[in-house]
Amino acid sequence: MRVAVAAEPREPEGEFDLLLTASADPPRPWVGCADPYATAQRLRDIVAARPDACLTLVQVLRMGPGLPPSDRLVVESLAYSTLQVGAAHRSWLSGKHRHAARPSTEPVLLDRDGDRLTITLNRPRVHNAFDAATRDALCEALEVAVTDPTVARVDLRGSGSSFCSGGDLAEFGSSTDQARAHQVRVHRSPAALLQRCAPKVTAHLHGACVGAGIELAAFAGRVIVVQDTVIRLPEISMGLIPGAGGTASLPRRIGRERTAYLAMTGASLSATEARRWGLADEMAARAAESHGH
């Protein structure tokens, strides 16, 4: 993995996976840090602690630009399944608190008003944590958006105080067949459906947008955030890489270098930073405009 460090951003000489600078608001692909050399050292420590996940992430991101959009999701899923049986992820699973399953009767709500379709993640008690039932229901909803030509606009929202807090920890480690899990991810994929209908989708983000919460939203043709939005990719700390389409959706908006930085560090990105980076297209004035309390 190649990391460039500079006091001021400049045209990089060669290919780099991350570019760090002391400049406060550098242009893409650079990431501004108060102390880029300290950040580089921290990244070295992260790679030493999670070498398989970090190197797999970089490899997948490097391959992305040379692949058709649908194939990027396949490569990501293959890498994710490989890491799920790795020692680092097994170690993380053994140390995590066991959560009881928290099923929801209607994990996704669908509302049609003329040519406008509103899809709402509906597990507010768990910050819309993304479980298998939510994935399946979201796929059904997005199939409407993809197959119905009379749907001109799709609004993707989350009920409660967060858009989506990421994968439901109650289901982590529940699959014993990673080959089958890969097939399920590829053939029952909200990310693939969002790729197909992205131009008419607006994602309205608020509160926690973690893991799948930002990976899926980033496919939308338009992303609107409110001030309390916090974005984070935590998977490397679990010995994994983003597995809900993030290695395809985020680079399209912010580049593979900034995607690598977010994923490897697990750093939180504020609404203002997301807007500045291009991960969001607009800042809503009030929370009510974004999630309709």
Side-chain angles (χ1 to χ4, degrees), residues 56 60 73-86 89 92 167 172-173 178 181-182 185 215 235 238-245:
T56 299
V60 170
L73 299 178
V74 175
V75 169
E76 177 188 276
S77 179
L78 286 167
Y80 191 86
S81 279
T82 299
L83 291 169
Q84 278 188 309
V85 295
H89 184 58
W92 178 83
F172 270 85
Q178 299 313 324
H182 162 66
R185 273 194 302 274
E215 295 176 55
E235 291 90 350
M238 306 173 185
L240 299 171
I241 64 170

Side-chain angles (χ1 to χ4, degrees), residues 169-186:
L169 295 181
E171 291 190 349
F172 270 85
S174 60
S175 175
T176 57
D177 185 341
Q178 299 313 324
R180 176 60 183 161
H182 162 66
Q183 296 300 333
V184 170
R185 273 194 302 274
V186 169

Side-chain angles (χ1 to χ4, degrees), residues 10-255:
R10 60 177 184 268
E11 186 66 29
E13 298 178 4
E15 291 289 325
F16 289 91
D17 299 299
L18 289 98
L19 298 97
L20 309 174
T21 176
S23 178
D25 186 16
R28 183 173 135 181
W30 293 86
V31 175
C33 312
D35 186 341
Y37 295 96
T39 302
Q41 181 58 58
R42 181 181 166 218
L43 284 164
R44 181 181 297 175
D45 294 341
I46 291 168
V47 172
R50 294 283 186 267
D52 294 335
C54 290
L55 294 177
T56 299
L57 171 72
V58 167
Q59 290 166 344
V60 170
L61 290 174
R62 286 176 182 171
M63 293 172 66
L67 298 172
S70 59
D71 287 350
R72 296 174 197 176
L73 299 178
V74 175
V75 169
E76 177 188 276
S77 179
L78 286 167
Y80 191 86
S81 279
T82 299
L83 291 169
Q84 278 188 309
V85 295
H89 184 58
R90 292 200 306 270
S91 175
W92 178 83
L93 281 174
S94 67
K96 84 176 181 75
H97 175 70
R98 295 290 174 181
H99 292 263
R102 301 164 289 186
S104 303
T105 54
E106 285 187 286
V108 174
L109 302 178
L110 203 59
D111 181 66
R112 180 74 182 263
D113 182 9
D115 64 358
R116 186 168 182 168
L117 184 69
T118 300
I119 300 172
T120 305
L121 304 180
N122 187 44
R123 304 183 71 209
R125 289 189 300 171
V126 292
H127 296 271
N128 298 317
F130 205 76
D131 62 357
T134 303
R135 177 202 63 209
D136 292 345
L138 182 56
C139 282
E140 291 181 12
L142 290 170
E143 284 281 4
V144 177
V146 168
T147 59
D148 188 341
T150 66
V151 175
R153 173 171 176 177
V154 178
D155 290 296
L156 182 59
R157 301 178 179 272
S159 61
S161 60
S162 295
F163 174 73
C164 176
S165 60
D168 193 330
L169 295 181
E171 291 190 349
F172 270 85
S174 60
S175 175
T176 57
D177 185 341
Q178 299 313 324
R180 176 60 183 161
H182 162 66
Q183 296 300 333
V184 170
R185 273 194 302 274
V186 169
H187 296 292
R188 205 178 301 162
S189 171
L193 292 166
L194 280 164
Q195 281 184 332
R196 294 172 61 187
C197 63
K200 56 185 174 183
V201 178
T202 299
H204 302 261
L205 308 188
H206 67 284
C209 299
V210 179
I214 187 58
E215 295 176 55
L216 294 173
F219 282 109
R222 188 157 189 81
V223 176
I224 300 174
V225 294
V226 296
Q227 194 62 49
D228 74 344
T229 303
V230 178
I231 291 166
R232 193 163 62 85
L233 294 174
E235 291 90 350
I236 289 290
S237 67
M238 306 173 185
L240 299 171
I241 64 170
T247 64
S249 62
L250 270 75
R252 185 178 63 86
R253 284 183 162 270
I254 64 174

